[in-house]
Amino acid sequence: MFSKSKINEPGTPAAPESADTAAKPAATAAPAAPAKSDFKSSAPKAKPPASTLSTDLHITGNLKTTGDIQIEGTVDGDIRAHLLTVGEGATVNGECMADDVVVNGRIVGTVRGLKVRLTSSARVEGDIIHKTIAIESGAHFEGSVQRQDDPLNTTAKAAKAAPKA
């Protein structure tokens, strides 16, 4: 180690260089490796905040995102998201499909989700296809409830319906 540092930097004294180079690579190398791994590991973990559609917004058309969305206004169309939250004053007219669906407001249409939760202020008129469901006391629901292992896979339903017909 001492001979390498003398070869790389011939004009500096041996004692201070050995102390500096021994301390600096250890100090520099240790944070540098975690900094790279922190950057790589934090990139997938860094999750953007939920997109919020405010109460004064009325959307006609379909919404699709891989992230989270919170509806506070009115949507006339289908919604596909990772986490879908329908606010208390919100109304959705269309199919809602998400990994997690939390309904505080009104949905007219089919709800598909791995986890579906109807809070006490929820109003749902349509079918719910789920893997797990929670319905709080006070929620209004008109439709059918069906459990499926993969409720987000719409082709599985068509494949099962074809042999029966």
Side-chain angles (χ1 to χ4, degrees):
M1 180 172 169
F2 293 111
S3 62
K4 280 187 176 182
S5 61
K6 287 182 183 180
I7 293 171
N8 292 337
E9 298 177 19
T12 56
E17 181 182 331
S18 62
D20 288 340
T21 47
K24 285 183 183 177
T28 309
K36 287 183 181 180
S37 64
D38 284 346
F39 178 75
K40 289 179 183 177
S41 65
S42 66
K45 291 180 185 177
K47 184 176 165 185
S51 300
T52 303
L53 303 179
S54 66
T55 56
D56 62 338
L57 194 60
H58 182 108
I59 293 182
T60 302
N62 299 335
L63 301 175
K64 184 177 182 181
T65 180
T66 56
D68 301 347
I69 190 165
Q70 181 169 346
I71 310 293
E72 296 296 337
T74 303
V75 176
D76 292 325
D78 299 340
I79 301 173
R80 174 69 173 111
H82 171 68
L83 168 64
L84 171 63
T85 305
V86 180
E88 277 193 46
T91 301
V92 177
N93 297 307
E95 183 178 39
C96 297
M97 189 182 320
D99 293 339
D100 295 326
V101 181
V102 179
V103 183
N104 299 306
R106 183 169 186 245
I107 296 178
V108 179
T110 304
V111 177
R112 292 178 164 273
L114 296 174
K115 297 178 189 175
V116 177
R117 184 174 143 215
L118 306 183
T119 65
S120 60
S121 60
R123 308 289 179 259
V124 176
E125 299 173 28
D127 299 339
I128 298 176
I129 301 162
H130 65 90
K131 188 170 183 178
T132 61
I133 189 166
I135 302 175
E136 292 182 4
S137 178
H140 290 213
F141 169 63
E142 291 183 32
S144 66
V145 179
Q146 181 181 1
R147 187 195 177 284
Q148 288 183 359
D149 286 331
D150 190 10
L152 303 180
N153 187 0
T154 56
T155 58
K157 182 180 178 182
K160 287 181 182 178
K164 292 179 182 177

